[in-house]
Amino acid sequence: MTPKPSYPPWVNELHSPPNPKSKSASSIRDPPGFSASLTGKRAQLSKSQPHKPPTPEETDILKVKKSWEVALAPAKQLPMNAIMMYMSGNSLQIFSIMMVFMLFKNPLQALMQTNAAFVRYETPRTRSKMWVVKAVYVLMNLVALGLGIWKVNGMGLLPTTRSDWLAWETQREPIERAIFTF
């Protein structure tokens, strides 16, 4: 008869997993600040006291805060747009032309849809505060348009010099004529 081969202990542990431990006998400690008794109390409190809905004043305050976030969103895009315009260069290439097109298109669309952007935040009680928010929104979009005009001027596409208007200039009549002779 052949003797039974002796396996290392890790092989025996692999084929026979340890007995499952009960949850109370877990060797893993609770994280700092965690207490099982507090979780039970919180569960009882949440069951006994239902969440009360926000008052109309609280809702209006939240709506005004959200409308300010919408109004200041174009200002948050200005640094990114300025860096992109600077990095695209002043030469006439398809990339820089597309960038300038988008720089004009987005603020113009936003200006045309100003009331639609704030319609969900406007209530009879917040109407008096919304005109200031809308004015800031319009101002930030006008600043974005100004950035586009700066870029177009840097590319040389704005007619700002006298030589750009030569077609409408009249030819000067000379007062004297000088003729070179030997």
Side-chain angles (χ1 to χ4, degrees):
M1 188 151 142
T2 61
K4 190 173 181 183
S6 170
Y7 296 111
W10 65 269
V11 174
N12 292 334
E13 290 173 7
L14 183 65
H15 290 298
S16 60
N19 295 332
K21 297 179 181 177
S22 67
K23 199 163 199 166
S24 62
S26 176
S27 63
I28 301 173
R29 296 182 319 158
D30 288 337
F34 178 80
S35 175
S37 63
L38 286 178
T39 57
K41 288 180 185 176
R42 286 184 186 154
Q44 290 173 353
L45 286 175
S46 66
K47 289 179 184 174
S48 64
Q49 295 177 351
H51 178 70
K52 61 179 181 177
T55 63
E57 291 81 21
E58 291 173 341
T59 305
D60 289 341
I61 290 170
L62 286 174
K63 285 183 178 184
V64 170
K65 285 182 181 179
K66 291 299 271 183
S67 65
W68 273 109
E69 289 179 18
V70 170
L72 295 176
K76 293 177 184 176
Q77 295 174 359
L78 284 175
M80 178 194 62
N81 285 338
I83 291 170
M84 288 173 61
M85 291 300 116
Y86 173 75
M87 296 300 282
S88 67
N90 287 339
S91 61
L92 289 177
Q93 299 173 0
I94 188 69
F95 181 72
S96 58
I97 292 171
M98 286 177 18
M99 296 296 296
V100 169
F101 174 74
M102 293 303 290
L103 193 59
F104 280 110
K105 182 181 95 65
N106 292 339
L108 287 175
Q109 275 185 336
L111 286 172
M112 287 187 282
Q113 299 172 353
T114 301
N115 286 330
F118 294 101
V119 72
R120 58 185 166 169
Y121 305 117
E122 198 164 344
T123 62
R125 282 181 277 190
T126 61
R127 194 171 307 250
S128 62
K129 298 176 186 174
M130 290 306 261
W131 74 270
V132 177
V133 176
K134 289 179 183 180
V136 169
Y137 183 73
V138 168
L139 180 69
M140 293 301 125
N141 281 304
L142 289 176
V143 170
L145 281 174
L147 183 65
I149 291 172
W150 167 77
K151 179 63 178 178
V152 170
N153 185 40
M155 293 171 75
L157 297 177
L158 283 183
T160 57
T161 62
R162 187 172 179 186
S163 63
D164 293 327
W165 302 96
L166 285 180
W168 292 275
E169 287 283 324
T170 58
Q171 187 175 7
R172 285 196 213 172
E173 291 295 323
I175 298 174
E176 297 178 4
R177 293 187 190 255
I179 301 173
F180 180 73
T181 58
F182 286 104

PDB file of all heavy atoms in Angstrom, residues 4 18 23 29 32 63 67 74 77 86 88 145-146 159:
ATOM      1  N   LYS A   4      -0.051   7.870   1.992  1.00  0.00           N
ATOM      2  CA  LYS A   4      -0.812   9.050   1.565  1.00  0.00           C
ATOM      3  C   LYS A   4       0.158  10.228   1.486  1.00  0.00           C
ATOM      4  O   LYS A   4       0.899  10.472   2.428  1.00  0.00           O
ATOM      5  CB  LYS A   4      -1.915   9.331   2.574  1.00  0.00           C
ATOM      6  CG  LYS A   4      -2.886  10.365   2.085  1.00  0.00           C
ATOM      7  CD  LYS A   4      -4.044  10.466   3.043  1.00  0.00           C
ATOM      8  CE  LYS A   4      -5.009  11.475   2.523  1.00  0.00           C
ATOM      9  NZ  LYS A   4      -6.097  11.694   3.399  1.00  0.00           N
ATOM     10  N   PRO A  18     -12.198  28.162   5.313  1.00  0.00           N
ATOM     11  CA  PRO A  18     -12.508  28.268   6.737  1.00  0.00           C
ATOM     12  C   PRO A  18     -14.009  28.434   6.953  1.00  0.00           C
ATOM     13  O   PRO A  18     -14.756  28.825   6.057  1.00  0.00           O
ATOM     14  CB  PRO A  18     -11.740  29.510   7.176  1.00  0.00           C
ATOM     15  CG  PRO A  18     -11.551  30.305   5.934  1.00  0.00           C
ATOM     16  CD  PRO A  18     -11.464  29.306   4.830  1.00  0.00           C
ATOM     17  N   LYS A  23     -21.298  37.754  12.032  1.00  0.00           N
ATOM     18  CA  LYS A  23     -21.056  39.181  11.838  1.00  0.00           C
ATOM     19  C   LYS A  23     -20.541  39.840  13.114  1.00  0.00           C
ATOM     20  O   LYS A  23     -19.749  40.755  13.082  1.00  0.00           O
ATOM     21  CB  LYS A  23     -22.355  39.846  11.385  1.00  0.00           C
ATOM     22  CG  LYS A  23     -22.131  41.164  10.728  1.00  0.00           C
ATOM     23  CD  LYS A  23     -23.333  41.566   9.950  1.00  0.00           C
ATOM     24  CE  LYS A  23     -22.860  42.621   8.958  1.00  0.00           C
ATOM     25  NZ  LYS A  23     -23.742  42.909   7.939  1.00  0.00           N
ATOM     26  N   ARG A  29     -12.516  45.956  12.404  1.00  0.00           N
ATOM     27  CA  ARG A  29     -13.031  46.956  13.330  1.00  0.00           C
ATOM     28  C   ARG A  29     -13.943  47.933  12.589  1.00  0.00           C
ATOM     29  O   ARG A  29     -13.822  48.133  11.391  1.00  0.00           O
ATOM     30  CB  ARG A  29     -11.880  47.760  13.941  1.00  0.00           C
ATOM     31  CG  ARG A  29     -10.950  46.954  14.779  1.00  0.00           C
ATOM     32  CD  ARG A  29      -9.879  47.829  15.390  1.00  0.00           C
ATOM     33  NE  ARG A  29      -9.393  48.822  14.415  1.00  0.00           N
ATOM     34  CZ  ARG A  29      -8.790  49.952  14.732  1.00  0.00           C
ATOM     35  NH1 ARG A  29      -8.589  50.251  15.988  1.00  0.00           N
ATOM     36  NH2 ARG A  29      -8.368  50.777  13.803  1.00  0.00           N
ATOM     37  N   PRO A  32     -13.428  54.755  12.446  1.00  0.00           N
ATOM     38  CA  PRO A  32     -13.490  55.757  13.511  1.00  0.00           C
ATOM     39  C   PRO A  32     -14.746  56.610  13.397  1.00  0.00           C
ATOM     40  O   PRO A  32     -15.120  57.049  12.319  1.00  0.00           O
ATOM     41  CB  PRO A  32     -12.248  56.619  13.284  1.00  0.00           C
ATOM     42  CG  PRO A  32     -11.351  55.798  12.439  1.00  0.00           C
ATOM     43  CD  PRO A  32     -12.201  54.875  11.666  1.00  0.00           C
ATOM     44  N   LYS A  63     -34.094  79.044  -5.992  1.00  0.00           N
ATOM     45  CA  LYS A  63     -34.258  79.401  -7.404  1.00  0.00           C
ATOM     46  C   LYS A  63     -33.398  80.599  -7.778  1.00  0.00           C
ATOM     47  O   LYS A  63     -32.809  80.645  -8.860  1.00  0.00           O
ATOM     48  CB  LYS A  63     -35.731  79.677  -7.717  1.00  0.00           C
ATOM     49  CG  LYS A  63     -36.566  78.416  -7.797  1.00  0.00           C
ATOM     50  CD  LYS A  63     -37.985  78.720  -8.179  1.00  0.00           C
ATOM     51  CE  LYS A  63     -38.771  77.439  -8.307  1.00  0.00           C
ATOM     52  NZ  LYS A  63     -40.132  77.663  -8.763  1.00  0.00           N
ATOM     53  N   SER A  67     -30.392  80.628 -10.457  1.00  0.00           N
ATOM     54  CA  SER A  67     -30.392  81.580 -11.567  1.00  0.00           C
ATOM     55  C   SER A  67     -29.084  82.369 -11.606  1.00  0.00           C
ATOM     56  O   SER A  67     -28.594  82.681 -12.693  1.00  0.00           O
ATOM     57  CB  SER A  67     -31.592  82.517 -11.466  1.00  0.00           C
ATOM     58  OG  SER A  67     -31.494  83.331 -10.318  1.00  0.00           O
ATOM     59  N   PRO A  74     -21.495  82.112 -18.333  1.00  0.00           N
ATOM     60  CA  PRO A  74     -20.653  82.647 -19.428  1.00  0.00           C
ATOM     61  C   PRO A  74     -19.343  83.253 -18.920  1.00  0.00           C
ATOM     62  O   PRO A  74     -18.331  83.205 -19.620  1.00  0.00           O
ATOM     63  CB  PRO A  74     -21.540  83.714 -20.072  1.00  0.00           C
ATOM     64  CG  PRO A  74     -22.922  83.343 -19.713  1.00  0.00           C
ATOM     65  CD  PRO A  74     -22.847  82.685 -18.379  1.00  0.00           C
ATOM     66  N   GLN A  77     -16.699  80.675 -18.600  1.00  0.00           N
ATOM     67  CA  GLN A  77     -16.160  80.198 -19.871  1.00  0.00           C
ATOM     68  C   GLN A  77     -15.176  81.179 -20.502  1.00  0.00           C
ATOM     69  O   GLN A  77     -14.429  80.812 -21.407  1.00  0.00           O
ATOM     70  CB  GLN A  77     -17.303  79.950 -20.861  1.00  0.00           C
ATOM     71  CG  GLN A  77     -18.229  78.850 -20.449  1.00  0.00           C
ATOM     72  CD  GLN A  77     -19.426  78.729 -21.364  1.00  0.00           C
ATOM     73  OE1 GLN A  77     -19.574  79.498 -22.305  1.00  0.00           O
ATOM     74  NE2 GLN A  77     -20.283  77.775 -21.096  1.00  0.00           N
ATOM     75  N   TYR A  86      -6.097  82.656 -27.911  1.00  0.00           N
ATOM     76  CA  TYR A  86      -4.670  82.986 -27.946  1.00  0.00           C
ATOM     77  C   TYR A  86      -3.874  81.846 -28.586  1.00  0.00           C
ATOM     78  O   TYR A  86      -2.983  82.076 -29.389  1.00  0.00           O
ATOM     79  CB  TYR A  86      -4.169  83.262 -26.532  1.00  0.00           C
ATOM     80  CG  TYR A  86      -2.683  83.458 -26.451  1.00  0.00           C
ATOM     81  CD1 TYR A  86      -2.100  84.641 -26.892  1.00  0.00           C
ATOM     82  CD2 TYR A  86      -1.855  82.455 -25.960  1.00  0.00           C
ATOM     83  CE1 TYR A  86      -0.736  84.817 -26.829  1.00  0.00           C
ATOM     84  CE2 TYR A  86      -0.491  82.626 -25.901  1.00  0.00           C
ATOM     85  CZ  TYR A  86       0.077  83.805 -26.331  1.00  0.00           C
ATOM     86  OH  TYR A  86       1.416  83.963 -26.276  1.00  0.00           O
ATOM     87  N   SER A  88      -4.894  79.600 -30.711  1.00  0.00           N
ATOM     88  CA  SER A  88      -5.212  79.297 -32.110  1.00  0.00           C
ATOM     89  C   SER A  88      -4.450  80.182 -33.085  1.00  0.00           C
ATOM     90  O   SER A  88      -4.399  79.873 -34.271  1.00  0.00           O
ATOM     91  CB  SER A  88      -6.715  79.407 -32.354  1.00  0.00           C
ATOM     92  OG  SER A  88      -7.137  80.739 -32.224  1.00  0.00           O
ATOM     93  N   LEU A 145     -18.779  88.306 -26.541  1.00  0.00           N
ATOM     94  CA  LEU A 145     -18.772  88.860 -27.895  1.00  0.00           C
ATOM     95  C   LEU A 145     -17.597  89.815 -28.089  1.00  0.00           C
ATOM     96  O   LEU A 145     -16.986  89.856 -29.165  1.00  0.00           O
ATOM     97  CB  LEU A 145     -20.083  89.592 -28.180  1.00  0.00           C
ATOM     98  CG  LEU A 145     -21.269  88.713 -28.534  1.00  0.00           C
ATOM     99  CD1 LEU A 145     -22.526  89.552 -28.651  1.00  0.00           C
ATOM    100  CD2 LEU A 145     -21.019  87.963 -29.817  1.00  0.00           C
ATOM    101  N   GLY A 146     -17.274  90.587 -27.070  1.00  0.00           N
ATOM    102  CA  GLY A 146     -16.111  91.471 -27.143  1.00  0.00           C
ATOM    103  C   GLY A 146     -14.824  90.691 -27.329  1.00  0.00           C
ATOM    104  O   GLY A 146     -13.916  91.121 -28.046  1.00  0.00           O
ATOM    105  N   PRO A 159     -12.049  96.125 -40.526  1.00  0.00           N
ATOM    106  CA  PRO A 159     -11.514  97.259 -41.289  1.00  0.00           C
ATOM    107  C   PRO A 159     -11.291  98.469 -40.377  1.00  0.00           C
ATOM    108  O   PRO A 159     -12.143  99.340 -40.251  1.00  0.00           O
ATOM    109  CB  PRO A 159     -12.599  97.520 -42.330  1.00  0.00           C
ATOM    110  CG  PRO A 159     -13.850  97.028 -41.699  1.00  0.00           C
ATOM    111  CD  PRO A 159     -13.453  95.889 -40.816  1.00  0.00           C
TER     112      PRO A 159
END
